[in-house]
Amino acid sequence: MSTTILPGSLRVCKEHYQLYVPESAQVGSAVGKIKATDADIGANADMKYSIINGDGSGIFSISTDKETREGIISLKKPLNYEKKKSYTLSIEGANTHLDFRFSHLGPFKDVTMLKIVVGDVDEAPLFTLPSYIMEVYENAKIGTTVGTVTALDPDSTNNLVRYSIDHNTEDRYFTINANTGTIKTAKVFDREETPWYNITVAASEIDSPGLLSHVPVEIKILDVNDNPPELARDYDVIVCENAKPSQVIQTISATDRDDITEGRSFHFALDDNFSLNPNFTLKDNEDNTASILTRRRRFSRTIQDVYYLPIVISDGGVPSLSSSATLVIRVCACERDGRVRTCHAEAFLSSAGLSTGALIAILLCVVILLAIVVLFITLKRSKKEPLVISEEDVRENVVTYDDEGGGEEDTEAFDITALRNPSAAEELKFRRDVRPEMKPATKHPTSCHLDNIDVHEFIKQRLAEADLDPSVPPYDSLQTYAYEGQRSEAGSISSLDSATTHSDQDYNYLGDWGPEFKKLAELYGEKESERTT
């Protein structure tokens, strides 16, 4: 049985075999192969490889590939050229299938020596610690030293190392000296806002800036007693009217934004700036709590329903800080077992047996009812009363004017051409909305014929002319006629009768009709006087 070397994996020497492995090889990776030849075939050629000796037995391992019958050499631990530059291995290859009939022809195994040479590789700097933890006090000035990191070049050249901080955010809280690795503060810190900061420091060789190594650095912000203590919450203190002296009515506690170390405690006391309180007192329980006690018997809401108790809370820090607070104590009516029944403003509701929610519901219902009533009244007033006119007085369209007019002097409110005889109107019904094709000629009687004219016929003639005149607006509406009818037993009540008394009535407002109408009035008055005689 002889041993052969795979091409490219080992190089053959006269006395031993040598393998080159760089120090940058990854743990678990295969770094070389070895194979022993056997003249047998089939199962008789199967073999197994093992490391039986050598200083590299703890660094390397070997396994057998059943298909190719090769020995695979793998790296068990990382290599370091600066610590050890070579290793020696004794490797044995043996048949796994033995036929006892031919055992006297053995041995069926062989041993060879393998030297592994570690190659030097330019490596990134190595930090002296896998991680760093540093501390700095809050409120420290900018530029305060936090700590120092150290990295070395693992290569034999021992190049110089430069340091930097990987800034993942825009805020830069720390700076580092590129040559020494000293970290300093870049702002003033508040432990109550951020108690810890995590940064990453990078190291690289000056000659090979592309080779970087990183290390995490945790920086703890130490506490400084810069916050005074405060009440743990807003207390609603109640004292019953039937309270007894030295009765505990409330237990209070405090809190502090600073880091409360074990052994530190709060101290409670009444404010010395106020006179001795005759109603209440305070007892420090020395366990970071205090009790409020009464100093007299019975309280009355009618006399005073609210009391104020100023207290002072201090911490045990260095330097010690303190703060003032005022407790509001309400006087309430309580049951015998101490349960609160009523307190000042709530007394009416409780005596009536109504809760706040019930009262709100009742008020809401009242508001809704008032809104409905107001809306109903508003709608009722907004309705207009219909115009009721007797059917006997309606001839065409009824138009109602809320205008009293200006009397006879008002020519716009009273138009003499609107006088119509109802009987004559039945005979002369013309469409007011149709303009006649021809404008009839207007005939005005001369003064010479006025003596022989009948007033009734004259008015009918004028009304007929007005009906046919297209320049006159239509009167499709209810009109009031000044026609008194024929042969009135009561006589005339018309203002025309004033002509017999030689009235000074001015008829100029009738325009061109003024003189004619005046003459007609005089003539009509004379005929009326003859008729009565």
Side-chain angles (χ1 to χ4, degrees), residues 358-464:
L359 181 61
I360 293 175
I362 294 174
L363 293 177
L364 183 61
C365 292
V366 173
V367 171
I368 294 175
L369 290 176
L370 291 176
I372 294 175
V373 172
V374 172
L375 179 62
F376 177 76
I377 295 174
T378 304
L379 293 177
K380 186 175 180 180
R381 289 182 177 178
S382 63
K383 291 184 178 180
K384 295 182 179 179
E385 296 183 357
L387 179 63
V388 180
I389 301 177
S390 176
E391 295 181 356
E392 297 178 359
D393 297 334
V394 177
R395 291 177 177 85
E396 293 180 357
N397 296 329
V398 178
V399 180
T400 301
Y401 298 95
D402 191 11
D403 186 6
E404 296 181 0
E408 293 181 357
E409 299 293 337
D410 189 355
T411 59
E412 294 183 0
F414 181 80
D415 191 354
I416 193 63
T417 62
L419 297 176
R420 297 183 61 183
N421 186 353
S423 60
E426 295 295 330
E427 298 176 0
L428 299 174
K429 287 185 177 179
F430 295 95
R431 289 284 301 273
R432 300 299 191 271
D433 57 346
V434 179
R435 183 182 183 90
E437 297 180 358
M438 296 180 62
K439 181 178 180 181
T442 304
K443 297 179 180 181
H444 300 282
T446 60
S447 61
C448 60
H449 299 288
L450 293 175
D451 296 336
N452 299 326
I453 270 182
D454 183 75
V455 174
H456 177 64
E457 293 298 329
F458 174 78
I459 293 176
K460 288 176 61 177
Q461 182 180 357
R462 286 292 182 262
L463 290 176

Side-chain angles (χ1 to χ4, degrees), residues 239-247 249 277-280 293-301 303 307 331:
V239 60
C240 295
E241 288 183 317
N242 56 357
K244 299 178 181 179
S246 302
Q247 180 179 343
I249 61 174
N277 194 307
N279 303 304
F280 305 95
L293 296 86
T294 58
R295 299 192 65 180
R296 65 184 179 87
R297 184 186 303 274
R298 293 191 176 277
F299 294 83
S300 176
R301 289 176 297 164
I303 298 176
Y307 292 89
V331 180

Side-chain angles (χ1 to χ4, degrees), residues 40 57 104 126 183 222 290 332 334 340 368 432 453 459 469 490 524:
D40 295 325
S57 58
H104 62 284
L126 295 178
I183 300 174
L222 300 178
C332 298
C334 304
V340 177
I368 294 175
R432 300 299 191 271
I453 270 182
I459 293 176
D469 189 358
Y524 184 78

Side-chain angles (χ1 to χ4, degrees), residues 10 35 62 90 109 183 218 345 379 419 447 456 495 509:
L10 299 172
K35 184 177 182 181
I62 189 169
S90 295
K109 59 182 178 180
I183 300 174
E218 298 180 9
L379 293 177
L419 297 176
S447 61
H456 177 64
S495 61
Y509 67 88

Side-chain angles (χ1 to χ4, degrees), residues 8 14 16 59-60 77-78 80 105 169 184 197 238 265 278 281 316 338 353 393 404 417 474 490 503 514 531:
K14 294 182 179 180
H16 60 273
I59 305 299
F60 299 92
K77 295 181 180 181
N80 191 338
L105 300 177
T169 61
K184 296 183 178 181
Y197 289 89
I238 294 175
S265 60
T281 185
D393 297 334
E404 296 181 0
T417 62
S503 172
R531 186 178 301 175

Side-chain angles (χ1 to χ4, degrees), residues 37-38 46 55 83 98 108-109 124 134 140 157 202 267 276 280 283 297 314 332 334 384 400 423 438 487 515 519:
T37 59
D38 193 341
D46 292 341
D55 55 1
K83 292 183 178 180
L98 297 177
F108 298 95
K109 59 182 178 180
M134 302 178 182
T157 55
H267 302 283
L276 183 63
F280 305 95
K283 176 185 177 183
R297 184 186 303 274
S314 59
C332 298
C334 304
K384 295 182 179 179
T400 301
S423 60
M438 296 180 62
R487 299 183 183 276
K519 185 66 177 178

